[in-house]
Amino acid sequence: MKNVLVAKHPATGETIDQWLETEAQQVPDMYDKASAAFQYWSNRSLETRLSFITKIKHHLLDNMDEIVDEICAATGKVKTEALTADLMPVIDIIQYYEKRAPRILKRKRVSTPLLFVGKSSYMDYFPLGTVLVISPWNYPFQLSMIPVISALIAGNSVILKPSEVTPTIGLLIEKIAREINLPKNVLQVAHGGKELGKALVSGTPDSIFFTGSVETGRKIGVEASKRFIPYTLELGGKDPMIVFEDASLKRAVHGAVWGAFTNAGQVCMSIERVYVQSSIHGEFIDRLVEETKKLKMGEDLGSLTFSHQKDIIKDHVKDALDKGALLLTGSHPDDWGESMYIEPMILTNVTEDMKIVTEETFGPVMPVIAFTTEEEAIQKANSTDFGLNASVWTKDSTKADRVTSKLITGSAVINDVLVSVANPHLPFGGVKSSGTGRYHGDDGLYIFSRQMSVMKDPGIKQREINWYPYENKYGKIRTLIKAYFSNKKQLAALMRSGIKQLRKK
Ligand code: NAD
């Protein structure tokens, strides 16, 4: 008997939908189907593949409100955030690849050194096969759709396993594929949790694209490495915001409040640590508290999505309070009760031995810490295991560039928050425990492609100079190498006479 999956609204507990779970035994059959679909799909022209992706764009534009409502029901997000941060990025990336994919995937000619005179060189891009996409619950739509769409454009078939925490999003994506008549099995959705994820990873993917926690990412990376399956891991963050005394205070405060509390802080690139120069620390905190108190629950902040995450947030906040931190807004975790709506929290008196500074919290909490010098700010910002995004706030552009260049992070923003992920031209991904590999931009198609480097010879010459026989060649080749790497004029003369002779021999 198959398990019935039931989806409930995270905040109200109301049943949204129910359907059958994908069983681990079905996994081999799914890969067989994906393989067959790959033969068909990879042989369609890029233009044809893009025409289906364009249909997805029109479907999303024509059904915006319905899709936003489904995302909100699955996650507890507020509508504006579902629209701007979960739906819109998918439309944006489609528009980007509609225009750019032909250039990105087309043959790239590269120079051929003079030493290989007569030959030409290029790179071609071919699809890999079946891509397994495993996605999380915080932006369940875009974090599924963007890798799926990118892999499909590059010519792969895809198996998607969305998060079991927001399972209706998998149904929504299946529905979209049906509505636009995407050829059968080019995209399959596997409905289920960790065990199903494990079975899919142990199956026969040709590439794995994973977004989720460091813990799961590490397991998948190990498993994939054993079989040399290429993978991309988009993992957690603990993003620092560094505010210097010469920053626009108002903008920095507004940026911090939005960057820490959007999506109730359940963002991999959330502002999870704010470092403020000590000369403005007091004023900055006052303004932060004032702005945070203006936020309206249900309108500016949605509910948490996953009760397990609430436990982690509670644990981090309690650990900080036990160690002497002060809670300036929001309520003590002991007073949260059963509600999934958690008021935004600002913490001061924060020290570096607290989990709130070292571990990913993924909730509406903003710890604020003072610093004195630029070096200290950089050292503190770089002090965690994570490296997803960071922001630097100052009106001094030289200082901004200098400090940014010293941050160990996959992306950074200057006088802004989070926005680097929103520009489809910019590759996105982390360093350190925040992951490996990049998507979006050109990389977003290359990670789903097998790159082949080709050197082509017209095939007329009898042989190359370094081929057999070696007799009497050593001295001549030696002269050629010396000339090649030191004296270009001598080389040109040698190329005209010597190489011809050497080849004839
Ligand atoms: P998670 O690792 O618990 O789950 C993610 C997905 O992996 C789910 O679909 C889950 O079913 C599946 N899974 C779990 N164990 C598995 C296993 N052993 N084998 C295969 N699949 C398995 O993460 P989550 O709680 O859903 O997501 C939150 C995390 O995701 C946070 O750490 C957040 O920072 C991170 N995240 C990163 C990015 C990014 O782009 N870097 C974006 C969003 C979220």
Side-chain angles (χ1 to χ4, degrees):
M1 273 286 280
K2 282 189 175 189
N3 270 342
V4 176
L5 294 172
V6 180
K8 296 188 176 198
H9 188 284
T12 62
E14 179 196 339
T15 297
I16 310 168
D17 210 339
Q18 43 190 40
W19 66 101
L20 295 179
E21 185 175 27
T22 307
E23 292 177 327
Q25 297 95 291
Q26 288 172 257
V27 165
D29 183 48
M30 288 183 90
Y31 277 110
D32 286 348
K33 285 178 175 152
S35 246
F38 170 69
Q39 296 309 326
Y40 169 81
W41 185 245
S42 59
N43 281 310
R44 304 278 77 74
S45 66
L46 175 60
E47 202 185 353
T48 304
R49 297 199 299 261
L50 280 174
S51 70
F52 283 97
I53 305 302
T54 299
K55 282 189 207 166
I56 296 181
K57 181 176 83 176
H58 291 305
H59 180 88
L60 301 184
L61 288 168
D62 292 345
N63 297 278
M64 265 188 175
D65 294 335
E66 293 80 351
I67 294 169
V68 162
D69 286 345
E70 291 214 37
I71 294 171
C72 292
T75 57
K77 275 182 214 284
V78 294
K79 282 181 89 160
T80 310
E81 290 180 351
L83 177 67
T84 57
D86 221 357
L87 175 56
M88 199 274 279
V90 181
I91 300 171
D92 200 23
I93 206 97
I94 293 180
Q95 186 116 317
Y96 169 80
Y97 283 135
E98 279 174 333
K99 218 169 151 191
R100 302 265 162 173
R103 180 191 60 74
I104 299 170
L105 292 176
K106 139 176 155 199
R107 174 172 293 180
K108 305 275 177 315
R109 296 206 169 272
V110 297
S111 327
T112 306
L114 197 56
L115 200 57
F116 303 107
V117 68
K119 299 179 198 298
S120 59
S121 311
Y122 57 84
M123 292 173 308
D124 272 339
Y125 302 92
F126 301 103
L128 291 163
T130 301
V131 172
L132 170 62
V133 174
I134 300 182
S135 55
W137 48 263
N138 62 327
Y139 290 100
F141 191 67
Q142 70 135 313
L143 296 176
S144 300
M145 287 295 275
I146 294 181
V148 164
I149 283 168
S150 311
L152 290 177
I153 292 173
N156 303 280
S157 57
V158 178
I159 297 178
L160 164 70
K161 198 210 78 64
S163 171
E164 65 277 29
V165 179
T166 48
T168 47
I169 298 303
L171 294 178
L172 170 66
I173 292 170
E174 270 181 331
K175 189 170 141 206
I176 294 171
R178 264 197 318 273
E179 302 257 325
I180 64 132
N181 288 320
L182 189 69
K184 211 165 169 233
N185 297 325
V186 164
L187 168 64
Q188 298 174 81
V189 181
H191 302 280
K194 284 182 190 178
E195 291 309 314
L196 180 62
K198 265 195 224 168
L200 286 161
V201 170
S202 320
T204 51
D206 296 294
S207 167
I208 302 176
F209 186 97
F210 172 76
T211 309
S213 64
V214 175
E215 193 190 349
T216 311
R218 188 169 282 125
K219 287 181 198 159
I220 291 177
V222 167
E223 193 53 42
S225 301
K226 281 188 207 159
R227 288 177 287 146
F228 296 118
I229 297 169
Y231 58 85
T232 306
L233 303 175
E234 299 289 345
L235 311 178
K238 190 74 193 169
D239 294 354
M241 170 177 187
I242 302 175
V243 187
F244 286 101
E245 59 191 0
D246 63 342
S248 158
L249 217 58
K250 273 193 183 163
R251 181 172 170 80
V253 166
H254 290 139
V257 170
W258 186 77
F261 301 138
T262 186
N263 207 39
Q266 305 161 114
V267 188
C268 54
M269 304 169 83
S270 264
I271 299 297
E272 292 227 357
R273 297 172 288 152
V274 180
Y275 296 109
V276 188
Q277 202 147 28
S278 42
S279 50
I280 55 162
H281 183 255
E283 189 184 353
F284 191 81
I285 294 266
D286 290 346
R287 290 193 187 202
L288 271 184
V289 170
E290 193 184 322
E291 285 305 316
T292 301
K293 284 187 172 162
K294 289 182 192 163
L295 297 177
K296 296 187 184 115
M297 295 306 292
E299 185 177 317
D300 296 314
L301 262 87
S303 76
L304 297 181
T305 302
F306 188 22
S307 57
H308 171 63
Q309 199 63 45
K310 186 176 161 188
D311 297 338
I312 296 173
I313 302 166
K314 195 182 255 185
D315 176 50
H316 287 194
V317 175
K318 279 183 129 181
D319 171 72
L321 296 178
D322 288 349
K323 290 175 180 160
L326 298 174
L327 187 62
L328 302 186
T329 60
S331 55
H332 192 283
D334 288 345
D335 300 327
W336 291 354
E338 294 303 306
S339 175
M340 290 289 274
Y341 286 95
I342 303 297
E343 287 178 2
M345 288 163 278
I346 295 173
L347 286 170
T348 56
N349 267 24
V350 172
T351 50
E352 300 195 348
D353 59 334
M354 297 175 182
K355 290 181 190 175
I356 208 80
V357 179
T358 54
E359 295 177 26
E360 186 183 45
T361 307
F362 222 56
V365 196
M366 190 199 312
V368 187
I369 302 159
F371 72 87
T372 314
T373 63
E374 190 176 308
E375 291 68 33
E376 186 191 353
I378 294 165
Q379 181 275 322
K380 284 186 149 89
N382 285 336
S383 67
T384 70
D385 290 338
F386 298 96
L388 194 56
N389 195 32
S391 71
V392 177
W393 296 71
T394 167
K395 286 190 193 133
D396 177 343
S397 173
T398 310
K399 179 160 71 179
D401 292 343
R402 183 175 63 234
V403 171
T404 303
S405 70
K406 291 186 178 144
L407 297 177
I408 302 165
T409 171
S411 49
V413 264
I414 295 170
N415 295 316
D416 206 332
V417 287
L418 276 63
V419 73
S420 48
V421 69
N423 178 356
H425 294 259
L426 277 176
F428 177 73
V431 295
K432 301 201 273 182
S433 293
S434 291
T436 172
R438 297 286 179 272
Y439 74 136
H440 298 182
D442 294 4
D443 298 64
L445 298 187
Y446 291 146
I447 53 167
F448 297 121
S449 303
R450 172 169 58 84
Q451 181 182 308
M452 189 193 278
S453 301
V454 179
M455 245 171 118
K456 188 175 184 179
D457 188 278
I460 298 161
K461 296 170 305 211
Q462 286 184 24
R463 61 167 67 108
E464 296 296 327
I465 57 169
N466 58 317
W467 291 2
Y468 299 130
Y470 290 156
E471 196 188 352
N472 297 329
K473 273 192 184 166
Y474 179 82
K476 286 169 187 157
I477 294 178
R478 187 178 172 282
T479 311
L480 180 64
I481 290 173
K482 266 214 157 178
Y484 182 77
F485 291 104
S486 53
N487 186 336
K488 292 280 172 199
K489 269 191 193 156
Q490 195 186 338
L491 171 73
L494 265 172
M495 293 295 266
R496 278 193 296 274
S497 64
I499 293 182
K500 252 189 209 161
Q501 286 176 25
L502 277 167
R503 276 194 184 122
K504 275 185 202 148
K505 282 188 182 164

